[in-house]
Amino acid sequence: MKSVEVNFDGLVGPTHNYAGLSYGNVASLNNAASYSNPKEAVLQGLAKMKAMHDLGLTQGVFAPHARPDINVLRRLGFTGTAEQVISKAFKADPVLVRACYSASSMWTANAGTVSPSADTLDGKVHFTAANLNNKFHRSLEPQTTTRLLKAMFNNDDYFSHHTHLPDQGFFGDEGAANHTRLGDEHGEQGLELFVYGASAFNSALPKPSKFPARQTLEASQAICRLHQLKPSSQLMIQQNPDVIDQGVFHNDVIAVGNANVLLCHQQAFLNQSHALQQIKDAYMGNKTLHIIEVPTAKVSVQDAVTSYLFNSQLVSLKNGKMLLVAPHECKNNQAVNSYIEEMIMADNPVDQVQFFDLKQSMQNGGGPACLRLRVALNQPELAAVNPAVILNDSKYQQLCDWANKHYRDKLSNDDFADPNLLIESYNALDELTQHLELGAVYPFQLEG
């Protein structure tokens, strides 16, 4: 049965800002307190989605979360109307308010983990929203993410949704940013790689010393159980703790896979030669598995982090070719651009590159791969997806018009005290749920 991989890209929310909330994410920390441009950010993301659609790929849209999160501020003791809550909280703790305004759900690779039906024992597509408990501002996301996933994939005959893992560090789960899938075709059984940063229970395993390991071994093992993964479809690999301490906060900052290609840095995994041999041994496809290992001598870890070479997307085109979807920062980095040119000329399936301007996202530490959640679907499953979240030419224009109508073109931390920002954001998202036919998914809709 013919299958496709659909990339569901996160729409950048109306409160996109640079608050420097993500310790361990170098770009996020370096650009803290800069002015952001939410309108430019959402249009840049939509332009990438449209380009993928124009290439003949099936492209989806993932709605942002409602921000500010008034309910969590109320749980923390601030009372009154929504506007009063914001005013009181901003006077008491501006940093807390910045966290509650975070638009971090735009990085949909962290929305959750998805296992295609070809890999699961019950033959369903399984979804588990990530708990993202390592960062306060991201820990606010899993409940809304689950509601969004259920509104998009709303047919129980094909889709199975799970509650996110327990909200504490032993089961720290960052979703698809630490998960990739290898296989000959999207519709055939594949090998799901779960890359963890440390073990919560086994202190004998190494761990980073400077920055946190956001994905635990125990979380990845739990996802495998929840998704009823076939034993031959799962493999646990540990990320190199040394590169986590150099700003590689997720595996998708140092490695990316697609079909029968794994593109990874020489320092991506702990005991790398052994890890790569494990992957080769576990790979079940008939095609040649291409592991493209980028030498440190050609691309340093620092260049990988600043350019986000490995946070590019690898996508299979209908003509059988494979495209690297990279940010402009890769083109502007001499070492990285030279390596891309070398890789495209070499004997492997990746034979072309396309660069995109995603500056607004990149300055907050998210490249092309961060912006999308990959879902492999056969034709009946694709037909069961909410059709309003699949991009076409008219949907693209509708969303551009919506963004131009509702989004600001300049936002600073001081603007969080403005009650009009809350009203503008909620009005925009209320209208968006109608465009995407999501129903009531946001707390302000459910409580209203």
Side-chain angles (χ1 to χ4, degrees):
M1 187 181 298
K2 183 181 179 183
S3 296
V4 297
E5 182 180 77
V6 186
N7 285 287
F8 288 86
D9 278 38
L11 277 171
V12 180
T15 64
H16 161 66
N17 66 88
Y18 301 128
L21 298 171
S22 190
Y23 183 68
N25 181 330
V26 175
S28 172
L29 297 177
N30 286 347
N31 290 291
S34 301
Y35 283 100
S36 65
N37 187 332
K39 183 179 292 187
E40 182 179 63
V42 69
L43 293 175
Q44 287 176 345
L46 280 165
K48 180 173 83 75
M49 296 185 220
K50 181 62 161 56
M52 297 299 100
H53 166 71
D54 290 346
L55 287 170
L57 301 174
T58 307
Q59 176 67 53
V61 180
F62 206 105
H65 289 207
R67 293 294 180 264
D69 189 326
I70 294 297
N71 285 342
V72 76
L73 290 173
R74 288 200 167 106
R75 287 174 60 194
L76 296 173
F78 299 101
T79 59
T81 65
E83 292 80 1
Q84 290 170 337
V85 166
I86 286 295
S87 178
K88 292 176 182 178
F90 191 82
K91 291 176 182 177
D93 193 344
V95 176
L96 173 61
V97 173
R98 290 203 297 270
C100 291
Y101 264 106
S102 172
S104 55
S105 67
M106 63 193 276
W107 297 301
T108 318
N110 298 121
T113 305
V114 185
S115 293
S117 57
D119 299 347
T120 64
L121 293 171
D122 65 353
K124 291 186 178 182
V125 183
H126 285 252
F127 301 84
T128 301
N131 60 26
L132 297 166
N133 69 348
N134 189 263
K135 297 289 179 285
F136 169 71
H137 66 290
R138 300 224 64 177
S139 73
L140 309 178
E141 297 176 21
Q143 290 87 353
T144 297
T145 295
T146 298
R147 287 194 294 271
L148 287 168
L149 287 169
K150 287 181 176 180
M152 298 160 67
F153 305 94
N154 53 7
N155 189 317
D156 293 339
D157 291 339
Y158 298 103
F159 309 122
S160 181
H161 297 273
H162 305 280
T163 303
H164 63 280
L165 299 182
D167 297 305
Q168 47 75 47
F170 288 115
F171 294 98
D173 177 26
E174 301 275 319
N178 295 303
H179 169 267
T180 195
R181 183 174 184 265
L182 302 172
D184 287 358
E185 303 293 341
H186 294 308
E188 298 177 5
Q189 183 181 349
L191 175 64
E192 299 191 26
L193 298 181
F194 292 83
V195 183
Y196 62 94
S199 168
F201 298 139
N202 185 356
S203 59
L205 290 177
K207 60 182 61 179
S209 58
K210 180 181 180 182
F211 291 137
R214 302 188 187 186
Q215 184 81 25
T216 67
L217 169 63
E218 291 77 10
S220 296
Q221 291 170 331
I223 296 295
C224 290
R225 291 190 293 269
L226 287 170
H227 290 195
Q228 300 182 45
L229 279 185
K230 299 170 183 175
S232 55
S233 281
Q234 54 183 281
L235 181 64
M236 306 289 158
I237 299 290
Q238 184 166 4
Q239 190 172 348
N240 183 353
D242 291 340
V243 298
I244 295 177
D245 283 337
Q246 295 178 63
V248 181
F249 54 99
H250 289 138
N251 177 64
D252 67 1
V253 180
I254 204 72
V256 59
N258 175 61
N260 63 329
V261 173
L262 175 64
L263 173 64
C264 64
H265 192 273
Q266 187 180 9
Q267 298 183 50
F269 307 113
L270 182 69
N271 301 323
Q272 180 129 328
S273 60
H274 175 66
L276 296 183
Q277 188 59 53
Q278 284 184 289
I279 295 170
K280 292 174 184 175
D281 292 343
Y283 186 77
M284 63 192 68
N286 294 316
K287 291 183 180 179
T288 300
L289 175 63
H290 294 268
I291 296 181
I292 306 172
E293 189 176 9
V294 182
T296 304
K298 293 185 178 180
V299 176
S300 67
V301 173
Q302 181 181 7
D303 281 338
V305 171
T306 56
S307 70
Y308 271 27
L309 167 62
F310 299 95
N311 201 247
S312 300
Q313 292 175 242
L314 278 176
V315 295
S316 300
L317 304 179
K318 288 188 174 181
N319 59 9
K321 298 180 181 297
M322 199 172 291
L323 170 71
L324 182 75
V325 179
H328 272 308
E329 284 76 2
C330 287
K331 187 176 183 180
N332 297 334
N333 183 302
Q334 183 176 353
V336 172
N337 191 51
S338 295
Y339 183 81
I340 291 174
E341 292 177 353
E342 176 185 326
M343 177 177 65
I344 288 173
M345 297 301 295
D347 183 18
N348 65 70
V350 186
D351 66 351
Q352 52 191 298
V353 61
Q354 190 168 345
F355 297 102
F356 287 87
D357 180 4
L358 297 169
K359 182 179 179 181
Q360 288 291 319
S361 178
M362 287 286 291
Q363 288 186 161
N364 234 353
C370 280
L371 288 164
R372 59 93 172 97
L373 182 69
R374 307 161 75 172
V375 185
L377 300 165
N378 60 37
Q379 291 305 307
E381 291 161 354
L382 180 59
V385 174
N386 175 355
V389 299
I390 301 299
L391 194 74
N392 53 35
D393 290 344
S394 61
K395 181 70 67 177
Y396 169 74
Q397 190 58 56
Q398 182 185 59
L399 293 174
C400 287
D401 292 343
W402 166 81
N404 280 310
K405 172 184 174 183
H406 289 287
Y407 279 53
R408 297 187 182 190
D409 59 11
K410 188 177 183 182
L411 198 62
S412 72
N413 290 336
D414 292 339
D415 291 322
F416 298 147
D418 179 5
N420 288 322
L421 180 60
L422 178 152
I423 297 169
E424 293 167 15
S425 176
Y426 284 14
N427 285 342
L429 296 182
D430 198 41
E431 182 179 316
L432 179 67
T433 57
Q434 299 172 48
H435 294 322
L436 301 181
E437 300 179 16
L438 296 172
V441 289
Y442 298 121
F444 72 84
Q445 295 173 320
L446 295 165
E447 296 159 4

